[in-house]
Amino acid sequence: MAKKVAVLAVNPVNGFGLFQYLEAFFENGISYKVYAVAETKEIKTNSGIKLVADDVIANLIGHEDEFDAVVFSCGDAIPVFSRNADKPYNVDLMSVLKAFGEKGKIMIGHCAAGMMFDFAGVTAGKRLAVHPLAKAAISKGTATDEKSVVDGNLYTAQEENFIWTMMPQVIEALKK
């Protein structure tokens, strides 16, 4: 039986990255729910397309056990994350990532996902594919120059153009 996935979409989210995950999950019968990392369910893509997520991240807190995996879908919100780290939705984001990581659940993402997983404290001893600009921020795991890396429960791609390089392993893990 396929696993259930919580998909976290920052605001604004990289639509190309987000939709690669959603289409692959849909096509493979993998159940998912999209959570906006925002105050409301209404978010936008980097290119300005309006989206309505299923719920907001605040409502995922305490429900992590209802999911087998989490996806961090990166976007233009991340370069300004440090200016907004204290916003309730970003505090919730870090709490959710930490909870999934500490439970050893599957964690998937691209671009700065490895950095966010590292900030959550769940990458010790793990290799990560991260955006070249995020490499210097990795302190617990090991940043690589690889297009994608699968290391234990972590599935990371350097950026949205390389999600496809890890998607076969992601789908295989989620279908078990």
Side-chain angles (χ1 to χ4, degrees):
M1 177 176 210
K3 294 175 173 45
K4 188 172 180 185
V5 182
V7 178
L8 312 181
V10 298
N11 186 28
V13 67
N14 178 285
F16 182 50
L18 175 64
F19 287 112
Q20 286 182 74
Y21 297 117
L22 300 184
E23 287 296 317
F25 297 162
F26 175 78
E27 294 294 331
N28 286 280
I30 296 166
S31 176
Y32 64 87
K33 187 171 182 178
V34 179
Y35 289 87
V37 181
E39 294 171 346
T40 69
K41 295 190 300 184
E42 293 83 24
I43 61 174
K44 290 183 177 181
T45 66
N46 293 351
S47 57
I49 297 171
K50 294 178 184 178
L51 303 174
V52 178
D54 296 312
D55 208 339
V56 294
I57 194 154
N59 294 329
L60 180 54
I61 302 287
H63 296 278
E64 296 90 351
D65 285 338
E66 296 173 19
F67 297 91
D68 304 291
V70 67
V71 168
F72 178 80
S73 194
C74 202
D76 284 351
I78 297 307
V80 296
F81 178 80
S82 64
R83 287 184 276 185
N84 298 294
D86 62 343
K87 301 274 190 213
Y89 52 85
N90 282 328
V91 172
D92 292 343
L93 166 65
M94 298 315 294
S95 173
V96 164
L97 293 177
K98 184 174 178 69
F100 272 84
E102 288 179 345
K103 293 172 186 279
K105 294 185 180 228
I106 296 169
M107 300 180 72
I108 306 158
H110 66 281
C111 204
M115 179 182 76
M116 300 306 285
F117 299 164
D118 199 72
F119 289 171
V122 299
T123 62
K126 302 281 181 128
R127 296 173 59 252
L128 306 163
V130 295
H131 190 283
L133 297 176
K135 280 181 69 176
I138 304 299
S139 64
K140 297 165 190 69
T142 302
T144 71
D145 291 322
E146 295 176 57
K147 302 303 181 201
S148 66
V149 173
V150 176
D151 192 348
N153 64 318
L154 300 181
Y155 296 71
T156 53
Q158 191 178 75
E159 48 144 302
E160 65 275 6
N161 291 313
F162 302 115
I163 291 171
W164 69 271
T165 66
M166 68 174 180
M167 197 54 77
Q169 296 98 318
V170 167
I171 298 302
E172 180 182 346
L174 293 176
K175 285 184 129 183
K176 286 183 182 177

